[in-house]
Amino acid sequence: FLSIVPLTAENIHRIKGEEDADWAAREYEDDIRTFFGKSGMPTFDLVILGVGEDGHTASLFPHSPLLNERLRIAVPVYLEKPKLNRITLTLPVLNNAARILVLATGEKKAEAVREILEGSGNTRRPAGLVRPVHGVLQWLIDKKAGQKLTR
């Protein structure tokens, strides 16, 4: 994808997910703080997120203590099932973006999509916690993911 976008190399900041998760999260955070400046949260022009069947987004899962992280930019995530280590951006970083696109497809995501988009706002689903402070949030869903929506 990035090979066909006219970006200079210094504007591409890759998370090295193949490395040790603790190291990779700190390395990425250092890279982003150097690029954007040391204080405050960075403002990405565009963040593209997906949604899992459980309503997770990025690698922020329901009931995770990482949902409460307010200082870090990137954090390691350790999953038991499947046994994977990941790195994710934190909610303050996501919510500081200028534009966020959330993509959801398939009927297995329909209940999560309904709860997030039509619920009371008090969601247990992390994708529902993505609420840009100053930016624009747009959901792109297919008919199957939206089949339980009533509005």
CSV table of all heavy atoms in Angstrom, one decimal, residues 42-75:
chain,number,residue,atom,x,y,z
A,42,PRO,N,0.7,12.7,19.7
A,42,PRO,CA,0.8,13.1,18.3
A,42,PRO,C,-0.6,13.2,17.6
A,42,PRO,O,-1.5,12.6,18.1
A,42,PRO,CB,1.6,11.9,17.7
A,42,PRO,CG,1.3,10.8,18.6
A,42,PRO,CD,1.1,11.4,20.0
A,43,THR,N,-0.6,13.9,16.5
A,43,THR,CA,-1.9,14.0,15.7
A,43,THR,C,-1.6,13.3,14.4
A,43,THR,O,-1.0,14.0,13.5
A,43,THR,CB,-2.4,15.4,15.6
A,43,THR,OG1,-2.6,16.0,16.9
A,43,THR,CG2,-3.6,15.5,14.8
A,44,PHE,N,-2.1,12.1,14.2
A,44,PHE,CA,-2.0,11.5,12.9
A,44,PHE,C,-3.1,12.1,12.0
A,44,PHE,O,-4.2,12.3,12.4
A,44,PHE,CB,-2.2,10.0,13.0
A,44,PHE,CG,-1.0,9.3,13.7
A,44,PHE,CD1,-1.1,8.9,15.0
A,44,PHE,CD2,0.1,8.9,12.9
A,44,PHE,CE1,0.0,8.3,15.6
A,44,PHE,CE2,1.2,8.3,13.5
A,44,PHE,CZ,1.1,8.0,14.9
A,45,ASP,N,-2.7,12.2,10.7
A,45,ASP,CA,-3.7,12.7,9.7
A,45,ASP,C,-4.8,11.7,9.5
A,45,ASP,O,-6.0,12.1,9.4
A,45,ASP,CB,-3.0,13.0,8.4
A,45,ASP,CG,-2.1,14.2,8.5
A,45,ASP,OD1,-2.4,15.1,9.3
A,45,ASP,OD2,-1.1,14.2,7.8
A,46,LEU,N,-4.5,10.4,9.5
A,46,LEU,CA,-5.5,9.4,9.2
A,46,LEU,C,-5.1,8.1,10.0
A,46,LEU,O,-4.0,7.7,9.9
A,46,LEU,CB,-5.5,9.1,7.7
A,46,LEU,CG,-6.4,7.9,7.2
A,46,LEU,CD1,-7.8,8.2,7.5
A,46,LEU,CD2,-6.1,7.6,5.8
A,47,VAL,N,-6.1,7.6,10.6
A,47,VAL,CA,-6.0,6.3,11.3
A,47,VAL,C,-7.0,5.4,10.7
A,47,VAL,O,-8.2,5.8,10.7
A,47,VAL,CB,-6.1,6.4,12.8
A,47,VAL,CG1,-6.2,5.0,13.5
A,47,VAL,CG2,-5.0,7.2,13.4
A,48,ILE,N,-6.7,4.2,10.2
A,48,ILE,CA,-7.6,3.2,9.7
A,48,ILE,C,-7.7,2.1,10.7
A,48,ILE,O,-6.6,1.5,10.9
A,48,ILE,CB,-7.2,2.8,8.3
A,48,ILE,CG1,-7.1,3.9,7.3
A,48,ILE,CG2,-8.2,1.7,7.8
A,48,ILE,CD1,-6.6,3.6,6.0
A,49,LEU,N,-8.9,1.8,11.2
A,49,LEU,CA,-9.0,0.7,12.2
A,49,LEU,C,-10.0,-0.3,11.7
A,49,LEU,O,-10.9,0.0,10.9
A,49,LEU,CB,-9.6,1.3,13.5
A,49,LEU,CG,-8.7,2.3,14.2
A,49,LEU,CD1,-9.4,3.0,15.3
A,49,LEU,CD2,-7.4,1.6,14.7
A,50,GLY,N,-9.9,-1.5,12.1
A,50,GLY,CA,-10.9,-2.6,11.9
A,50,GLY,C,-11.6,-2.8,13.3
A,50,GLY,O,-11.3,-2.2,14.3
A,51,VAL,N,-12.6,-3.7,13.2
A,51,VAL,CA,-13.3,-4.1,14.4
A,51,VAL,C,-13.4,-5.6,14.4
A,51,VAL,O,-13.7,-6.2,13.4
A,51,VAL,CB,-14.7,-3.5,14.4
A,51,VAL,CG1,-15.5,-4.0,15.6
A,51,VAL,CG2,-14.7,-2.0,14.3
A,52,GLY,N,-13.1,-6.2,15.6
A,52,GLY,CA,-13.2,-7.6,15.8
A,52,GLY,C,-14.6,-8.0,16.2
A,52,GLY,O,-15.4,-7.1,16.6
A,53,GLU,N,-14.9,-9.3,16.2
A,53,GLU,CA,-16.3,-9.7,16.6
A,53,GLU,C,-16.6,-9.3,18.0
A,53,GLU,O,-17.8,-9.1,18.4
A,53,GLU,CB,-16.3,-11.3,16.5
A,53,GLU,CG,-16.2,-11.8,15.0
A,53,GLU,CD,-16.1,-13.3,14.9
A,53,GLU,OE1,-16.5,-14.0,15.9
A,53,GLU,OE2,-15.6,-13.7,13.9
A,54,ASP,N,-15.6,-9.2,18.9
A,54,ASP,CA,-15.8,-8.8,20.3
A,54,ASP,C,-15.8,-7.3,20.4
A,54,ASP,O,-15.9,-6.8,21.5
A,54,ASP,CB,-14.7,-9.5,21.2
A,54,ASP,CG,-13.3,-9.1,20.8
A,54,ASP,OD1,-13.1,-8.4,19.8
A,54,ASP,OD2,-12.4,-9.5,21.5
A,55,GLY,N,-15.6,-6.6,19.3
A,55,GLY,CA,-15.6,-5.1,19.4
A,55,GLY,C,-14.2,-4.6,19.7
A,55,GLY,O,-14.1,-3.4,19.9
A,56,HIS,N,-13.2,-5.4,19.6
A,56,HIS,CA,-11.8,-4.9,19.8
A,56,HIS,C,-11.4,-4.1,18.5
A,56,HIS,O,-12.0,-4.3,17.5
A,56,HIS,CB,-10.8,-6.0,20.1
A,56,HIS,CG,-10.3,-6.7,18.9
A,56,HIS,ND1,-10.9,-7.8,18.4
A,56,HIS,CD2,-9.2,-6.5,18.2
A,56,HIS,CE1,-10.2,-8.3,17.4
A,56,HIS,NE2,-9.1,-7.4,17.2
A,57,THR,N,-10.5,-3.2,18.7
A,57,THR,CA,-9.9,-2.4,17.6
A,57,THR,C,-8.5,-2.2,17.9
A,57,THR,O,-8.1,-2.2,19.1
A,57,THR,CB,-10.7,-1.1,17.4
A,57,THR,OG1,-10.3,-0.5,16.1
A,57,THR,CG2,-10.4,-0.1,18.5
A,58,ALA,N,-7.7,-2.0,16.9
A,58,ALA,CA,-6.2,-2.0,17.0
A,58,ALA,C,-5.9,-3.3,17.7
A,58,ALA,O,-6.4,-4.3,17.3
A,58,ALA,CB,-5.7,-0.8,17.7
A,59,SER,N,-5.2,-3.3,18.8
A,59,SER,CA,-5.1,-4.5,19.7
A,59,SER,C,-5.6,-4.2,21.1
A,59,SER,O,-5.0,-4.5,22.1
A,59,SER,CB,-3.7,-5.1,19.7
A,59,SER,OG,-3.4,-5.7,18.4
A,60,LEU,N,-6.6,-3.4,21.1
A,60,LEU,CA,-7.3,-3.0,22.4
A,60,LEU,C,-8.5,-3.9,22.6
A,60,LEU,O,-9.5,-3.8,21.8
A,60,LEU,CB,-7.6,-1.5,22.4
A,60,LEU,CG,-6.5,-0.6,22.2
A,60,LEU,CD1,-6.9,0.8,21.9
A,60,LEU,CD2,-5.6,-0.6,23.5
A,61,PHE,N,-8.5,-4.8,23.5
A,61,PHE,CA,-9.5,-5.8,23.7
A,61,PHE,C,-10.4,-5.5,24.9
A,61,PHE,O,-10.0,-4.8,25.8
A,61,PHE,CB,-8.8,-7.2,23.9
A,61,PHE,CG,-8.2,-7.7,22.7
A,61,PHE,CD1,-6.8,-7.3,22.4
A,61,PHE,CD2,-8.9,-8.4,21.7
A,61,PHE,CE1,-6.2,-7.8,21.2
A,61,PHE,CE2,-8.3,-8.8,20.5
A,61,PHE,CZ,-6.9,-8.5,20.3
A,62,PRO,N,-11.6,-6.0,24.9
A,62,PRO,CA,-12.5,-5.8,26.1
A,62,PRO,C,-11.8,-6.2,27.4
A,62,PRO,O,-11.1,-7.2,27.4
A,62,PRO,CB,-13.7,-6.7,25.7
A,62,PRO,CG,-13.7,-6.8,24.3
A,62,PRO,CD,-12.2,-6.8,23.9
A,63,HIS,N,-12.1,-5.4,28.4
A,63,HIS,CA,-11.6,-5.6,29.8
A,63,HIS,C,-10.1,-5.5,29.9
A,63,HIS,O,-9.6,-5.8,31.0
A,63,HIS,CB,-12.0,-7.0,30.3
A,63,HIS,CG,-13.5,-7.3,30.0
A,63,HIS,ND1,-14.5,-6.6,30.6
A,63,HIS,CD2,-14.1,-8.2,29.2
A,63,HIS,CE1,-15.7,-7.0,30.2
A,63,HIS,NE2,-15.4,-8.0,29.3
A,64,SER,N,-9.4,-5.0,28.9
A,64,SER,CA,-7.9,-4.9,29.0
A,64,SER,C,-7.6,-3.7,29.9
A,64,SER,O,-8.2,-2.6,29.7
A,64,SER,CB,-7.3,-4.7,27.6
A,64,SER,OG,-5.9,-4.4,27.8
A,65,PRO,N,-6.6,-3.8,30.8
A,65,PRO,CA,-6.2,-2.6,31.5
A,65,PRO,C,-5.5,-1.5,30.6
A,65,PRO,O,-5.5,-0.4,30.9
A,65,PRO,CB,-5.1,-3.1,32.5
A,65,PRO,CG,-4.8,-4.5,32.0
A,65,PRO,CD,-5.9,-5.0,31.2
A,66,LEU,N,-5.1,-1.9,29.4
A,66,LEU,CA,-4.6,-1.0,28.4
A,66,LEU,C,-5.6,0.1,28.0
A,66,LEU,O,-5.2,1.1,27.5
A,66,LEU,CB,-4.0,-1.7,27.2
A,66,LEU,CG,-2.8,-2.6,27.5
A,66,LEU,CD1,-2.4,-3.4,26.3
A,66,LEU,CD2,-1.7,-1.9,28.2
A,67,LEU,N,-6.9,-0.2,28.1
A,67,LEU,CA,-7.9,0.8,27.8
A,67,LEU,C,-7.8,2.0,28.7
A,67,LEU,O,-8.3,3.1,28.3
A,67,LEU,CB,-9.3,0.2,27.9
A,67,LEU,CG,-9.6,-1.0,27.0
A,67,LEU,CD1,-10.9,-1.6,27.3
A,67,LEU,CD2,-9.6,-0.5,25.5
A,68,ASN,N,-7.1,1.9,29.8
A,68,ASN,CA,-7.0,3.0,30.7
A,68,ASN,C,-5.7,3.7,30.6
A,68,ASN,O,-5.4,4.7,31.3
A,68,ASN,CB,-7.2,2.5,32.2
A,68,ASN,CG,-8.5,1.9,32.4
A,68,ASN,OD1,-9.5,2.5,32.0
A,68,ASN,ND2,-8.6,0.8,33.0
A,69,GLU,N,-4.8,3.3,29.7
A,69,GLU,CA,-3.5,3.9,29.5
A,69,GLU,C,-3.7,5.3,29.0
A,69,GLU,O,-4.4,5.5,28.0
A,69,GLU,CB,-2.6,3.1,28.6
A,69,GLU,CG,-1.3,3.7,28.3
A,69,GLU,CD,-0.4,3.9,29.5
A,69,GLU,OE1,-0.2,3.0,30.2
A,69,GLU,OE2,0.1,5.1,29.6
A,70,ARG,N,-3.1,6.3,29.6
A,70,ARG,CA,-3.2,7.7,29.2
A,70,ARG,C,-1.9,8.4,28.8
A,70,ARG,O,-1.9,9.5,28.3
A,70,ARG,CB,-3.9,8.5,30.3
A,70,ARG,CG,-5.3,8.1,30.6
A,70,ARG,CD,-6.3,8.3,29.4
A,70,ARG,NE,-7.6,7.8,29.6
A,70,ARG,CZ,-8.1,6.7,29.0
A,70,ARG,NH1,-7.4,6.0,28.1
A,70,ARG,NH2,-9.3,6.3,29.3
A,71,LEU,N,-0.8,7.8,29.2
A,71,LEU,CA,0.5,8.5,28.9
A,71,LEU,C,1.3,7.9,27.8
A,71,LEU,O,1.9,8.7,27.0
A,71,LEU,CB,1.4,8.4,30.2
A,71,LEU,CG,0.8,9.0,31.5
A,71,LEU,CD1,1.7,8.7,32.7
A,71,LEU,CD2,0.5,10.5,31.3
A,72,ARG,N,1.2,6.6,27.6
A,72,ARG,CA,2.0,6.0,26.5
A,72,ARG,C,1.4,6.2,25.1
A,72,ARG,O,0.1,6.3,25.0
A,72,ARG,CB,2.2,4.5,26.8
A,72,ARG,CG,2.9,4.1,28.1
A,72,ARG,CD,4.4,3.9,28.0
A,72,ARG,NE,4.9,3.2,26.9
A,72,ARG,CZ,5.2,1.9,26.8
A,72,ARG,NH1,4.9,1.2,27.9
A,72,ARG,NH2,5.7,1.4,25.7
A,73,ILE,N,2.2,6.1,24.1
A,73,ILE,CA,1.7,6.2,22.7
A,73,ILE,C,1.4,4.8,22.2
A,73,ILE,O,0.4,4.5,21.6
A,73,ILE,CB,2.7,6.9,21.8
A,73,ILE,CG1,2.7,8.4,22.2
A,73,ILE,CG2,2.4,6.7,20.3
A,73,ILE,CD1,3.8,9.2,21.5
A,74,ALA,N,2.4,3.9,22.5
A,74,ALA,CA,2.3,2.5,22.0
A,74,ALA,C,2.6,1.6,23.2
A,74,ALA,O,3.5,1.9,24.0
A,74,ALA,CB,3.3,2.3,20.9
A,75,VAL,N,1.9,0.5,23.2
A,75,VAL,CA,2.1,-0.5,24.3
A,75,VAL,C,2.1,-1.9,23.8
A,75,VAL,O,1.5,-2.2,22.8
A,75,VAL,CB,1.0,-0.3,25.4
A,75,VAL,CG1,1.2,1.0,26.2
A,75,VAL,CG2,-0.3,-0.5,24.8
